[in-house]
Amino acid sequence: MVNLSTRYLGLDIKTPLIVSSSGLTGSVEKIQKLEELGVGAVVLKSLFEEQIRFEAGTQLKNGDYPEAYDYITGYSKMNSVEEYLKLIEQAKKSIKIPVIASLNCISSDEWVSFAKNIENAGADALELNIFFMASRKELSAEKIEDLYYDLVVKIKNVTRLPIAVKMGSQFTNLAAMVNNLYLRGASGVVLFNRFYEPDMDIENMQLTSSDVFSSPSDIRLSLRWVGILSDKIENIDIAASTGVHDGKAVIKQILAGAKAVQVCSVLYKKGEEHVKVMLGEIEAWMTGKGYNSIDEFRGKLSYRQIPDPSMYERSQFMKYFSSYH
Ligand SMILES: Cc1cc2nc3c(=O)[nH]c(=O)nc-3n(C[C@H](O)[C@H](O)[C@H](O)COP(=O)(O)O)c2cc1C
């Protein structure tokens, strides 16, 4: 029997498969089933800033009653928070694997005090899903990056929980960004979040939404950056995310240097039982290669470990594939 255990955010996890923040981890029953199937940890669905605002907005649309509006806004905010804390508490009572809470945030003042409640409810770690839509031309890249840093610093000030930042890839210098998050106290990063993206219906002349689920080819962007950053910022734990649909993809991300790998879309598409198939694929590959533990092959194909690290940095097709006509 091979040993699939690994460490992520200072937590011992029995397999490298973590179920991403989503409806898949929205109830104690679902989480219990995921534990039985063999996942190493779960990230609870996010407590969304937008969700709280939306709830309040739909319950009272008439802006003529500001006091009532304030009351209901406060009430539904508390309820969401209460329900979330209850989910953490109940999950902790029912399962042994680590429970990582998730906050979707950008405005640090609003959210920081919640982090302490999350710690008190028993969560093992906190994932911050931070995203700022950088579409205002007056805002400098530095100011936007500072929003991310401030948030990590403020959250670190109120909780002792290990923090992971779940982020997108669109920064001018990802290595500097991740290093700065580490220097401000982040223990890990999740590379990368997948965002809602618009599409168009050209018959009905409407903006529509694109596919909510990833496909296996979406792994590539993450694979490149896991490979590069696992070597360049050695002390931060990387959880690979997006496009991981089978055991092979998990193996690739670990070879690139990931400490753990998050999965979501594939479980929506194929059912939670697919966890077992993926773990079986990893075990079979490890047995075939003679590896007994994850640590034995982690990072074997990372940036510094391969003969030509520039393979990770190649980006101009014309330069490398000019023989294609
Ligand atoms: C239906 C659905 C709900 C999601 N909800 C959340 C969420 O609440 N918080 C979050 O951080 N990410 C959320 N995500 C993003 C996933 O956690 C994950 O990062 C993304 O889907 C990429 O991983 P995948 O390719 O394995 O699906 C959601 C994704 C899906 C498909």
Side-chain angles (χ1 to χ4, degrees), residues 85 88-89 113-123 159-161:
L85 297 176
I88 298 171
E89 278 168 19
S113 58
F114 295 161
K116 191 68 195 168
N117 295 349
I118 282 172
E119 179 183 332
N120 292 341
T159 176
R160 280 171 301 170
L161 288 177

Side-chain angles (χ1 to χ4, degrees), residues 20-22 46 48 129 166 193-194 214 241-243 264-265 268:
S20 306
S21 177
S22 64
S46 295
F48 276 82
N129 173 341
K166 183 176 186 182
N193 198 1
R194 175 177 155 83
S214 66
S241 166
T242 294
C264 178
S265 291
Y268 274 111

